[in-house]
Amino acid sequence: MRKKIVAGNWKMNMDLTEGAELVNEIFKGLPVLSEDKQVVIAPPYLHLTQTASQLTGMIDVQLGAQNCHSEASGAYTGEVSASMLKSAEVAYVIIGHSERREYFKEDSTTLGKKVNQVLSNDMKVIFCCGEPLDIRDAGTQNTYVEGQIKEGLFHLPESQLANVVLAYEPIWAIGTGRTATSAQAQDMHAHIRSVIAAQYGGDAAANMTILYGGSCKPSNAAELFACTDVDGGLIGGASLKAADFLGIIEAMADL
Ligand code: 13P
């Protein structure tokens, strides 16, 4: 049975004090989760060791990072490698977020290398895909997202796919307050699952966790998570307020 996950992507927010307080607040309100459910907190790099020590002994809540470099080590000033993240007890690394693709010009070749770095360091990938508004308006979103998945992931053997989580984040819904409807999310998630099935077979597709991201909040999480092919969420803005993030975790806990 595939895992359900609620992951908080803090993006470039929170200083160390604010981050520690947020994690404490989340702990205070955390519901009991069944074994097939998982929370991930992905703070900025600077927070990782602090957050890791706060998460010591927690099984339900795992540490995530928002990025890593595509090479193993070397003269890349300012960058952080996958093995460094592993040594900081990171379990999940977000790769291919639309903000990385857009602002940092990360292309599919780079993303494929990053995926390999994460997997070869025994961490899990949260691989993001999602179309901009003009593609949605043109009705070609399925082909667009399929291309992102093929280019970023299809070099992997099936044995490694179990360590990949997909996150569908329509760019027009990120931070805009404009959420995909549950029908739009379900349609795309079903399409993504069929793309995985065509390449890797039905079992791999059935076991793949596919998260929705884009203005997910306590008021819409339950409806989105109720969709057959939506296995949780990758949360931006609402992961920065304990009450909101907990509300979304509750929606997953109730499934
Ligand atoms: P928002 O939840 O702020 O729309 O961000 C979604 C996102 O980009 C998570 O990675």
Side-chain angles (χ1 to χ4, degrees):
M1 196 185 174
R2 58 182 181 255
K3 254 196 183 347
K4 308 244 183 235
I5 299 175
V6 167
N9 173 10
W10 292 4
K11 307 191 180 183
M12 196 175 72
N13 293 293
M14 299 276 148
D15 67 21
L16 286 170
T17 307
E18 292 164 341
E21 279 170 11
L22 177 57
V23 172
N24 279 335
E25 289 302 307
I26 293 166
F27 279 2
K28 279 189 208 153
L30 199 68
V32 176
L33 295 173
S34 54
E35 257 179 47
D36 61 331
K37 292 175 183 139
Q38 176 95 77
V39 173
V40 176
I41 296 177
Y45 286 147
L46 186 68
H47 291 247
L48 288 172
T49 53
Q50 170 178 279
T51 311
S53 70
Q54 288 184 283
L55 296 184
T56 304
M58 298 281 297
I59 298 164
D60 297 1
V61 188
Q62 299 271 305
L63 187 60
Q66 299 174 18
N67 180 31
C68 73
H69 196 259
S70 54
E71 299 296 332
S73 64
Y76 300 101
T77 301
E79 290 297 319
V80 172
S81 72
S83 64
M84 293 174 198
L85 298 178
K86 178 69 181 176
S87 74
E89 295 169 45
V90 166
Y92 290 82
V93 185
I94 300 169
I95 298 292
H97 193 282
S98 58
E99 290 149 16
R100 301 286 326 165
R101 293 177 191 259
E102 183 180 351
Y103 304 136
F104 302 95
K105 308 289 172 236
E106 293 189 358
D107 60 14
S108 293
T109 309
T110 308
L111 296 179
K113 286 187 189 171
K114 291 187 177 204
V115 166
N116 294 345
Q117 287 296 333
V118 174
L119 295 176
S120 63
N121 282 281
D122 296 322
M123 296 177 287
K124 293 185 195 301
V125 171
I126 300 177
F127 187 82
C128 300
C129 56
E131 79 286 356
L133 187 58
D134 58 329
I135 296 287
R136 169 64 58 170
D137 286 344
T140 53
Q141 65 273 10
N142 283 9
T143 320
Y144 185 92
V145 168
E146 188 171 338
Q148 290 178 316
I149 294 170
K150 283 184 175 164
E151 288 169 18
L153 295 178
F154 276 15
H155 61 285
L156 297 175
E158 192 195 331
S159 58
Q160 288 195 321
L161 216 64
N163 293 318
V164 176
V165 170
L166 279 167
Y168 170 58
E169 300 204 311
I171 296 169
W172 44 271
I174 295 178
T176 58
R178 180 182 165 187
T179 320
T181 64
S182 50
Q184 286 171 323
Q186 170 55 27
D187 280 355
M188 179 58 84
H189 283 228
H191 175 64
I192 291 171
R193 208 176 293 289
S194 76
V195 167
I196 299 295
Q199 178 75 5
Y200 292 102
D203 284 353
N207 289 328
M208 172 67 72
T209 296
I210 309 176
L211 309 179
Y212 169 79
S215 300
C216 185
K217 39 190 184 275
S219 58
N220 60 25
E223 192 187 336
L224 286 160
F225 297 174
C227 299
T228 318
D229 289 294
V230 177
D231 305 312
L234 180 55
I235 318 301
S239 73
L240 299 172
K241 290 198 189 116
D244 287 353
F245 195 52
L246 286 166
I248 296 170
I249 294 169
E250 290 284 356
M252 171 176 72
D254 290 346
L255 293 172

